[in-house]
Amino acid sequence: MKVKRLFQGVKGKKLKVYELGAVEIREKVVAGEFKVREIVDQLLARIAEYDTEIGAFVTVDTEGARLRAEELDAMVAKGETAGKLLGVPVAVKDNICVQDGLTTCASKMLDNFKPPYSARVVQRLLAEGAVIIGKTNLDEFAMGSSTENSALKQTRNPRNTGCVPGGSSGGSAAAVAAGFVPVALGSDTGGSIRQPASYCGVVGMKPTYGAVSRYGLVAFGSSLDQIGPFARNVEDAALVLEVISGSDAQDSTAATEKLKLSGSYPGELQGMKIGLPTEYFDTEGLSSQVKEAVLAGTERLREAGAELVEIHLPLIKYAVGTYYIIATAEASSNLSRFDGVHYGHRCEQPTDIIDMYSRSREEGFGAEVKRRIMLGNYVLSAGYYDAYYLRALKVRRKIADDFSRAFAEVDLIASPVAPTTAFKFGEKTADPLAMYLSDIYTISANLAGIPGISVPCGADAEGLPVGLQLLADNFKDDLLFKASAVLANVGIGVAF
């Protein structure tokens, strides 16, 4: 598929449903300009036509989406139009439970699993009138940076189908970039929302840890995971995040209050200080084109009234090692439940219980998942716990302290999202360390629990998108949207 330039307006063109954002769709449904069924049918037709090439979806709930649309149209006919996402189609990453539909985690282990309940975020979307269109592809159990680790299918970047969409939420990012849905949900353990958002040229937001309930999210790293939105504009991302945030009695890590984000994006930044960490811009492997685009983005922030300040985060150099010790340790613990007994894949004709456990896990897990389970078991073992896992927890605390000191001086921190733009398929699969370094700029936010957003700020010479990352202190998520509006106000078109 031909690359389409990232920022091209739609002036003079007749607006199509697939070009509309979530806020616009709701407005048109309430005004009677569109029926929800018409919106859903147009997007389902677009998915049917193009997703054979893109591969964003694992499952598309055609019948369920149409029934939901008719239900919402009946509500509108009776004057019931209060839902903040009324008639808005949403895609959901396939590690987030939707009741009675498949939730596979893009794995053989869960290829036939149908959860008996919906995740809290899904419940909150439906309560505000959303339509769940389908479930999107990901790296198996969210472990990867390119969506090449999916056991089910390959997802291609809609901006250039020869390139990966990023990961692990590559399917959700691709679905939004391709105009299949205006918004989607992903999960971010070490950059898995922000990095694919950068690669696909959309907005991707990882909220403060605890701002969004993890109830119904299949766990990878429980102290790192967060659910967040993808969108083609800042207003839509803020609206979805506001809807899904808030307390939850079934998640003890969830915050007590909802995020208040509506109207937090005026695009004027007088008095705001934005830090530029020297450690992020002097990294070996940072593409000169990415660096140039990101610095151009920060210049636009300065022109909007922000003051740019050079800062230092000296312990960031330890973030990659720290993250992969903690993340693999938590993964090995969380994935121990998949044993062929309770649910998930079970091998055929086991000779005994040990054979059943070992062969079920051998057959059910892919190479990357096995690698991380083995690493996690190693760092948690009796002989190495103190040397690796305990030390990583101490370094994590110091990295968080680094950010706390920085936010005493500045309001936000700006950096690249990834060292390069989207790479080609197979380019990094033979070198796991090179793949892991794709997340070098994003993982520190998960270690510290702070919010981060990726906003398109330009493109490289090949037309591939470049994302600028903004980070804020805990529960200052609204500041990210305020600053991001400056970068995203040029509009982000669909990929084709």
Side-chain angles (χ1 to χ4, degrees):
M1 184 176 290
K2 210 175 202 179
V3 172
K4 181 175 177 180
R5 302 303 298 187
L6 180 61
F7 299 122
Q8 59 176 34
V10 293
K11 190 174 181 181
K13 289 169 58 182
K14 185 178 179 182
L15 206 62
K16 307 292 195 304
V17 164
Y18 66 83
E19 294 174 329
L20 297 176
V23 171
E24 295 172 293
I25 286 175
R26 183 192 179 278
E27 289 173 349
K28 291 182 181 299
V29 167
V30 171
E33 296 180 41
F34 280 109
K35 288 191 176 295
V36 180
R37 177 64 188 265
E38 292 173 329
I39 293 166
V40 167
D41 282 346
Q42 282 201 39
L43 294 184
L44 287 172
R46 183 170 175 82
I47 292 167
E49 181 176 1
Y50 293 111
D51 199 45
T52 52
E53 182 176 11
I54 301 301
F57 286 92
V58 172
T59 55
V60 178
D61 187 9
T62 301
E63 182 180 352
R66 286 174 172 159
L67 288 173
R68 171 70 168 166
E70 290 171 0
E71 174 189 316
L72 293 171
D73 282 331
M75 291 171 58
V76 172
K78 292 188 291 185
E80 299 174 14
T81 59
K84 294 179 180 178
L85 293 170
L86 183 64
V88 176
V90 181
V92 177
K93 186 176 179 179
D94 204 32
N95 63 342
I96 300 171
C97 292
V98 175
Q99 184 173 357
D100 297 331
L102 285 173
T103 296
T104 69
C105 291
S107 70
K108 184 177 179 181
M109 181 62 78
L110 292 176
D111 62 359
N112 63 356
F113 175 60
K114 293 184 177 182
Y117 67 99
S118 288
R120 184 69 69 224
V121 292
V122 172
Q123 295 173 17
R124 286 173 174 164
L125 291 173
L126 294 174
E128 293 293 346
V131 179
I132 306 300
I133 286 282
K135 306 295 290 298
T136 57
N137 198 24
L138 63 148
D139 287 297
E140 184 182 355
F141 284 100
M143 297 181 192
S145 302
S146 64
T147 312
E148 291 173 285
N149 292 330
S150 171
L152 305 182
K153 66 191 305 184
Q154 185 178 73
T155 298
R156 297 180 176 274
N157 191 322
R159 306 290 177 185
N160 183 334
T161 52
C163 295
V164 302
S168 63
S169 307
S172 290
V176 172
F180 297 152
V181 285
V183 291
L185 293 186
S187 66
D188 192 312
T189 307
S192 290
I193 291 174
R194 290 159 289 156
Q195 186 248 34
S198 177
Y199 283 3
C200 292
V202 296
V203 175
M205 173 73 183
K206 172 226 171 291
T208 300
Y209 184 81
V212 176
S213 170
R214 291 180 294 111
Y215 175 70
L217 171 68
V218 179
F220 164 13
S222 301
S223 73
L224 303 162
D225 298 338
Q226 274 293 264
I227 298 171
F230 291 92
R232 290 191 299 274
N233 63 68
V234 171
E235 186 178 14
D236 285 355
L239 174 61
V240 173
L241 180 54
E242 187 174 81
V243 165
I244 65 174
S245 68
S247 63
D248 183 0
Q250 289 172 292
D251 178 2
S252 62
T253 65
T256 56
E257 295 183 7
K258 291 183 75 67
L259 294 173
K260 294 180 174 58
L261 304 171
S262 299
S264 61
Y265 28 82
E268 195 275 329
L269 308 179
Q270 287 293 336
M272 181 178 287
K273 288 186 177 182
I274 298 178
L276 304 181
T278 56
E279 293 82 3
Y280 279 20
F281 289 92
D282 294 336
T283 308
E284 183 180 350
L286 176 60
S287 160
S288 59
Q289 293 187 57
V290 169
K291 183 176 181 179
E292 181 180 340
V294 170
L295 289 176
T298 63
E299 182 61 20
R300 288 169 59 194
L301 296 173
R302 188 192 64 78
E303 291 170 355
E307 178 186 354
L308 303 182
V309 180
E310 183 179 297
I311 64 170
H312 293 279
L313 295 168
L315 296 179
I316 288 302
K317 61 185 177 182
Y318 301 115
V320 174
T322 301
Y323 170 82
Y324 278 101
I325 289 172
I326 293 172
T328 57
E330 294 186 3
S332 68
S333 177
N334 279 320
L335 270 62
S336 65
R337 73 193 70 181
F338 302 115
D339 54 12
V341 178
H342 301 94
Y343 56 93
H345 174 74
R346 178 184 292 187
C347 68
E348 295 183 1
Q349 298 180 335
T351 57
D352 55 36
I353 192 167
I354 300 301
D355 182 55
M356 184 190 69
Y357 283 163
S358 60
R359 282 207 291 126
S360 295
R361 289 169 69 80
E362 164 66 25
E363 295 167 7
F365 290 136
E368 181 60 28
V369 175
K370 291 174 185 173
R371 180 183 293 117
R372 298 197 190 197
I373 289 173
M374 291 173 69
L375 285 170
N377 284 332
Y378 178 79
V379 301
L380 289 175
S381 61
Y384 298 98
Y385 180 92
D386 289 349
Y388 291 102
Y389 184 66
L390 186 59
R391 184 172 295 182
L393 293 180
K394 292 176 180 178
V395 175
R396 179 185 192 172
R397 178 68 265 166
K398 290 185 178 296
I399 289 171
D401 290 342
D402 253 9
F403 278 108
S404 294
R405 283 189 289 270
F407 288 125
E409 301 176 23
V410 298
D411 299 293
L412 299 177
I413 293 172
S415 79
V417 176
T420 66
T421 51
F423 49 88
K424 297 190 180 301
F425 287 97
E427 189 174 317
K428 298 185 179 183
T429 50
D431 187 351
L433 290 179
M435 186 73 78
Y436 295 167
L437 289 173
S438 300
D439 300 328
I440 190 170
Y441 298 116
T442 54
I443 55 181
S444 56
N446 299 80
L447 290 171
I450 60 175
I453 194 168
S454 171
V455 187
C457 63
D460 68 8
E462 302 298 319
L464 290 168
V466 176
L468 185 152
Q469 177 176 235
L470 292 171
L471 304 173
D473 204 357
N474 288 311
F475 294 100
K476 296 291 181 65
D477 303 58
D478 59 318
L479 293 183
L480 296 178
F481 289 106
K482 181 177 180 180
S484 296
V486 173
L487 300 169
N489 61 11
V490 294
I492 305 167
V494 295
F496 52 87

